[in-house]
């Protein structure tokens, strides 16, 4: 009847694998993180199980079951969540990688619910191979010189640090494409702190730039991110 230890194991596998994908997004500070991915994969597996076993009590000579119909609906429906994660700010597109990971998590949950644990597990391993293994390769491609980087810097106000930071970026071979300042969200020292977000063009060594900026007297925190890895 579809309510046994096998189905529970399939649900558990979907939850574990989708949570693993979500954990990677969570650690990168993305909008869809651990809980979102875990719920999406878990729900996708449940939908597939319902599609397989949920209507067996109405089967008969005049009633036929097509288990693929609900599965097809999942693929269409997840597009709304993925579309909501993608946004455009000026000329930069954000959220593509996270939207793709949501799509992949749905597929992993569906595979687990369909009784394909090996495929679900290998696909999850493939996700980590792509996000961690292809990143170094992409940096050595011919177009890497036009890559972008985002720096979020929190520093003490009134010390003229922004001018020094911008000069340091230029000296390190980066072009400052966008500057946005705001008050930090942390409650402590809000009145004396400023947070600036820089979008840099170049493709040079961002680690060296972060080290130099962090060493400035008055800089509290520096966070570097790849805008293409959203």
């Amino acid at each position: 009847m579809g309510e046994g230890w096998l189905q529970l194991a399939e649900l558990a596998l979907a939850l574990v694998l989708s949570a693993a994908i979500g954990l990677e997004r969570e650690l990168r500070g993305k909008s869809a993180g651990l809980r979102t991915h875990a719920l999406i994969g878990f729900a996708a597996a449940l939908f597939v199980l319902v599609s397989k076993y949920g209507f067996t009590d109405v089967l008969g000579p005049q009633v036929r079951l097509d288990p693929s119909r609900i599965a097809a609906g999942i693929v269409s429906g997840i597009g709304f969540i993925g579309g909501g994660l993608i946004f455009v700010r000026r000329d930069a597109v954000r959220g593509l990688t996270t939207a793709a990971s949501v799509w992949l998590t749905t597929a992993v949950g569906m595979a687990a619910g369909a009784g394909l644990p090996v495929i679900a597990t290998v696909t999850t391993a493939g996700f980590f191979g792509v996000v961690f293994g292809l990143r170094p390769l992409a940096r050595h491609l011919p177009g890497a010189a036009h890559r972008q980087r985002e720096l979020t810097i929190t520093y003490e106000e009134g010390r003229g640090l922004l001018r020094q930071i911008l000069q340091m970026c230029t000296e390190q071979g980066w072009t400052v494409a966008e500057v946005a300042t705001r008050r930090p969200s942390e409650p402590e020292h809000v009145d004396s702190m400023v947070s600036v977000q820089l979008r840099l063009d170049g493709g040079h060594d961002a680690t060296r730039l972060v080290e130099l900026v962090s060493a400035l007297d008055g800089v509290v925190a520096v966070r570097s991110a790849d805008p293409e890895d959203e």
Side-chain angles (χ1 to χ4, degrees):
M1 299 298 294
E3 288 187 310
W5 290 109
L6 176 59
Q7 288 72 37
L8 293 178
E10 291 170 348
L11 281 174
L13 178 63
L15 180 61
V16 170
L17 296 180
S18 57
I21 296 174
L23 180 61
E24 187 274 338
R25 295 283 91 190
E26 185 78 25
L27 293 176
R28 294 187 184 276
K30 305 309 177 183
S31 54
L34 175 61
R35 291 177 296 177
T36 302
H37 284 76
L39 289 174
I40 288 174
F42 195 47
L46 179 59
F47 275 126
V48 171
L49 289 173
V50 170
S51 181
K52 290 171 62 177
Y53 305 108
F55 308 100
T56 55
D57 57 330
V58 299
L59 292 178
Q62 305 299 324
V63 179
R64 295 185 179 275
L65 177 64
D66 182 8
S68 66
R69 295 186 63 183
I70 292 182
I74 299 172
V75 177
S76 301
I78 199 61
F80 289 98
I81 297 179
L85 296 171
I86 302 173
F87 63 95
V88 179
R89 187 178 63 190
R90 296 188 179 181
D91 60 340
V93 181
R94 300 288 186 270
L96 288 175
T97 303
T98 300
S101 70
V102 166
W103 194 275
L104 179 71
T105 301
T106 304
V108 169
M110 293 175 64
L116 303 171
V118 175
I119 291 179
T121 303
V122 171
T123 301
T124 304
F127 165 81
F128 288 101
V130 169
V131 297
F132 291 113
L134 295 186
R135 183 190 300 270
L137 176 62
R139 292 173 180 171
H140 293 86
L141 294 177
H146 304 287
R147 297 285 297 276
Q148 295 180 338
R149 200 75 186 174
E150 283 188 355
L151 289 186
T152 302
I153 307 165
T154 303
Y155 59 90
E156 297 178 3
E157 189 177 15
R159 304 187 61 170
L161 286 173
L162 181 56
R163 180 178 298 178
Q164 297 182 46
I165 293 171
L166 295 178
Q167 181 179 356
M168 191 169 291
C169 293
T170 304
E171 291 174 350
Q172 291 298 310
W174 293 90
T175 300
V176 180
E178 182 180 337
V179 180
T181 59
R182 59 179 176 83
R183 292 290 178 180
S185 57
E186 293 78 8
E188 61 271 13
H189 307 298
V190 171
D191 294 333
S192 60
M193 297 292 178
V194 175
S195 181
V196 60
Q197 186 176 55
L198 306 177
R199 183 161 62 89
L200 308 175
D201 294 331
H204 303 273
D205 187 6
T207 303
R208 176 59 178 167
L209 178 61
V210 170
E211 293 175 353
L212 293 174
V213 173
S214 301
L216 289 175
D217 188 22
V219 173
V220 177
V222 180
R223 184 173 68 87
S224 174
D226 187 346
E228 296 185 5
D229 184 27
E230 294 288 341

